[in-house]
Amino acid sequence: MAKPMFTADLFHMMFNHSTDYLFLMKKVDDNYQYIAVNDSVHRLFQQDVTNLLITDILDAATVRFMKPYYDEALQYH
């Protein structure tokens, strides 16, 4: 198995204090899992969403809207 090119530790070192909403995810079957999130995302969701799936956090309409963009990003690397 190939090593991830971006680790959670590296993500936090680079982006943790950004005011933008930044997250590192991986695809799990037909879903996406949060691997790391920055402080802004913690405040947005008012909880630690690390290791949760987008379907655990977001409503169905939002998932249907956003998922095609995540799929496209993976397709084009």
Side-chain angles (χ1 to χ4, degrees), residues 8-71:
D9 288 338
L10 182 58
F11 174 90
H12 287 295
M13 185 173 53
M14 294 176 68
F15 302 117
N16 203 47
H17 300 295
S18 173
T19 57
D20 293 322
Y21 300 121
L22 300 168
F23 43 86
L24 179 64
M25 303 175 104
K26 74 175 181 180
K27 188 166 186 168
V28 177
D29 298 322
D30 196 37
N31 210 333
Y32 289 88
Q33 181 182 30
Y34 293 99
I35 301 303
V37 299
N38 71 346
D39 288 342
S40 294
V41 174
H42 278 278
R43 285 190 295 278
L44 175 69
F45 288 118
Q46 299 179 358
Q47 65 177 323
D48 183 8
V49 298
T50 305
N51 296 318
L52 297 178
L53 300 170
I54 60 171
T55 53
D56 295 333
I57 302 301
L58 304 173
D59 61 84
T62 303
V63 170
R64 276 192 308 273
F65 174 78
M66 294 174 69
K67 193 175 160 309
Y69 294 106
Y70 296 161
D71 292 338

